[in-house]
Amino acid sequence: MIDKLEAIKERFEEVSQQIIQPEVVSDSTRYSKISKEYKDLGKIVEQYALYQKLQKDIAGTKELIATEKDEDLREMAKEELDDLVPKLEELEQNIKELLIPKDPNDSRNIILEIRGGTGGDEAAIFAGDLFRMYQRFFEKMGWRSSVMDYTEGTNGGYKEIICKVEGEDAYGKMKFESGVHRVQRVPQTESQGRIHTSAASVAVLPEAEEVDVQINMNDVRVDTFQSSGAGGQSVNTTYSAVRLTHIPSGLVVSCQDERSQLKNKDRALSVLRSRLYEIELKKHNDAISSQRKSMVGSGDRSDKIRTYNYPQSRITDHRIGYTVYNLPAVMEGDIAELIEKLRIAENAERMQEGEAV
């Protein structure tokens, strides 16, 4: 571990010099890439400096215990040592987690897709509740989200809603949300007070860039239609909405959020690119998971990942067997603790894999 930390420290010093070079500062793409590396390495280097200081303090304290004649001073030194050793162990664990190779997609923006599943009108209403929950979470994180396309449910909510989310490590935090979310509650339409079970599916796609996926526009059929969304009279009277059909894969993407047909086409292309990228990413992940079975990291849309039980105010994440009884707070966007528990579980798995190799 120390050899790895020394190498990281050396690389951090190199990057510290690169980031102030005029040719780097003037190239926004290169500067952004180096800035991110500088920030990521800086976290590790900072922890390593604390680790070295603690090691030095422990060595000095042990020497004092071994050589000091005054019994009171020796007792004080022993108490200090009892305090320092657990701190060193905790710091070492933190550093090990920081050294786990990051998913290269973690820093990407995302395309979030929510669809009502089994349960009819209630499933669409629940899909709307999930979307609102995520919107609140994005606000707490200081992220920016914009709706790209949606189909409203008959009695509220959404049969489907797609939005783009921009924020630091958006995919890294949101990737655990992919899967089937199940709700147990008395529907608004239920007259006899019976509890029903409905579901909505969530897909979190890392936003793909043009360099990631090359789309041949000869393979794409472009259709335009009148937008059905809000946005003033002009939205509904012009053919500004765009539907793209990728003929080789059969994928269909629509966007009607913008007034400009050109902007809607660009945004629809972004979603199409991300869906094609996800297909390739799934192939890659499936190849890895054939060698190992991850508890939290599969991100398969068909996996039932979480249950929201309204009568008991209970939320259970089935991947890690974690249950909390604060459903109202969670539905207001307080999902950071759930995400952190899943991140810790994934890191523990990856650390075990590293030790087994």
Side-chain angles (χ1 to χ4, degrees):
M1 185 178 89
I2 299 300
D3 289 344
K4 192 179 285 189
L5 288 168
E6 283 295 332
I8 288 170
K9 185 180 177 183
E10 190 176 320
R11 175 60 185 162
F12 178 70
E13 288 165 1
E14 290 175 11
V15 173
S16 300
Q17 292 303 312
Q18 288 179 14
I19 203 169
I20 58 174
Q21 299 303 315
E23 62 270 22
V24 173
V25 175
S26 61
D27 184 339
S28 60
T29 304
R30 193 177 168 197
Y31 182 75
S32 175
K33 186 178 178 182
I34 291 176
S35 293
K36 186 179 184 313
E37 186 181 5
Y38 176 81
K39 184 179 177 182
D40 290 343
L41 293 176
K43 292 175 185 175
I44 300 172
V45 170
E46 182 182 347
Q47 294 295 299
Y48 182 38
L50 289 172
Y51 183 78
Q52 288 177 309
K53 183 180 182 303
L54 267 175
Q55 279 188 317
K56 189 176 178 182
D57 290 346
I58 286 172
T61 305
K62 283 181 177 178
E63 186 180 351
L64 182 64
I65 293 168
T67 58
E68 180 57 53
K69 298 280 194 292
D70 189 301
E71 189 61 33
D72 289 340
L73 287 175
R74 287 179 65 200
E75 282 302 316
M76 287 172 64
K78 285 177 183 177
E79 287 177 10
E80 186 178 352
L81 186 63
D82 288 342
D83 186 45
L84 291 172
V85 170
K87 285 183 179 177
L88 184 70
E89 290 171 353
E90 183 182 348
L91 190 57
E92 186 172 337
Q93 186 66 23
N94 290 342
I95 291 171
K96 283 180 179 177
E97 286 190 18
L98 287 172
L99 291 176
I100 297 170
K102 287 185 73 175
D103 182 337
N105 289 313
D106 279 358
S107 60
R108 291 179 185 259
N109 296 327
I110 62 168
I111 305 297
L112 173 67
E113 303 182 345
I114 306 174
R115 294 177 179 86
T118 54
D121 289 345
E122 170 63 11
I125 293 168
F126 180 53
D129 292 341
L130 287 177
F131 178 64
R132 182 177 177 276
M133 175 185 81
Y134 289 131
Q135 277 188 310
R136 297 289 184 270
F137 176 64
F138 302 153
E139 289 166 7
K140 292 173 192 283
M141 297 299 297
W143 296 350
R144 187 170 57 189
S145 65
S146 55
V147 174
M148 304 179 80
D149 192 30
Y150 64 92
T151 304
E152 292 181 333
T154 309
N155 289 308
Y158 301 99
K159 291 179 180 177
E160 176 185 74
I161 185 161
I162 300 167
C163 74
K164 178 179 177 179
V165 183
E166 299 171 88
E168 185 178 349
D169 289 335
Y171 183 71
K173 289 186 170 64
M174 284 294 295
K175 62 184 177 183
F176 302 117
E177 295 302 299
S178 283
V180 175
H181 297 240
R182 188 176 67 166
V183 62
Q184 295 171 328
R185 64 183 176 188
V186 178
Q188 297 172 11
T189 54
E190 169 59 52
S191 59
Q192 297 180 30
R194 291 174 298 188
I195 295 171
H196 286 227
T197 298
S198 306
S201 67
V202 174
V204 179
L205 320 181
E207 185 186 30
E209 299 172 4
E210 286 187 45
V211 293
D212 299 316
V213 178
Q214 298 293 328
I215 297 176
N216 184 348
M217 290 308 294
N218 291 326
D219 293 335
V220 179
R221 188 175 75 240
V222 181
D223 297 309
T224 59
F225 59 98
Q226 289 184 356
S227 172
S228 59
Q233 292 179 344
S234 64
V235 173
N236 297 316
T237 56
T238 61
Y239 283 77
S240 59
V242 172
R243 182 186 298 110
L244 303 181
T245 303
H246 187 247
I247 296 164
S249 66
L251 290 173
V252 179
V253 175
S254 300
C255 186
Q256 57 177 324
D257 185 54
E258 299 285 349
R259 291 179 179 234
S260 158
Q261 187 184 109
L262 187 62
K263 285 183 179 178
N264 279 329
K265 183 181 176 183
D266 286 343
R267 298 189 81 180
L269 270 172
S270 174
V271 176
L272 177 59
R273 196 177 293 117
S274 297
R275 286 187 185 171
L276 290 169
Y277 182 73
E278 189 212 18
I279 290 170
E280 292 305 310
L281 189 64
K282 189 175 186 307
K283 287 179 186 174
H284 173 72
N285 289 341
D286 285 349
I288 294 172
S289 64
S290 66
Q291 300 169 16
R292 68 173 181 89
K293 180 62 179 173
S294 172
M295 180 170 58
V296 297
S298 68
D300 193 318
R301 298 186 199 186
S302 64
D303 288 347
K304 184 185 73 176
I305 64 166
R306 197 175 294 151
T307 295
Y308 303 72
N309 184 296
Y310 275 69
Q312 298 175 13
S313 190
R314 169 176 60 82
I315 291 182
T316 297
D317 196 289
H318 304 289
R319 293 164 291 182
I320 54 175
Y322 180 68
T323 296
V324 289
Y325 292 88
N326 62 342
L327 190 143
V330 167
M331 298 312 292
E332 285 297 320
D334 192 4
I335 62 172
E337 184 181 348
L338 279 167
I339 290 171
E340 180 63 10
K341 293 285 184 184
L342 290 159
R343 187 193 67 80
I344 291 169
E346 185 192 47
N347 280 349
E349 282 183 357
R350 295 177 71 181
M351 285 173 71
Q352 280 182 339
E353 287 166 20
E355 289 166 3
V357 173

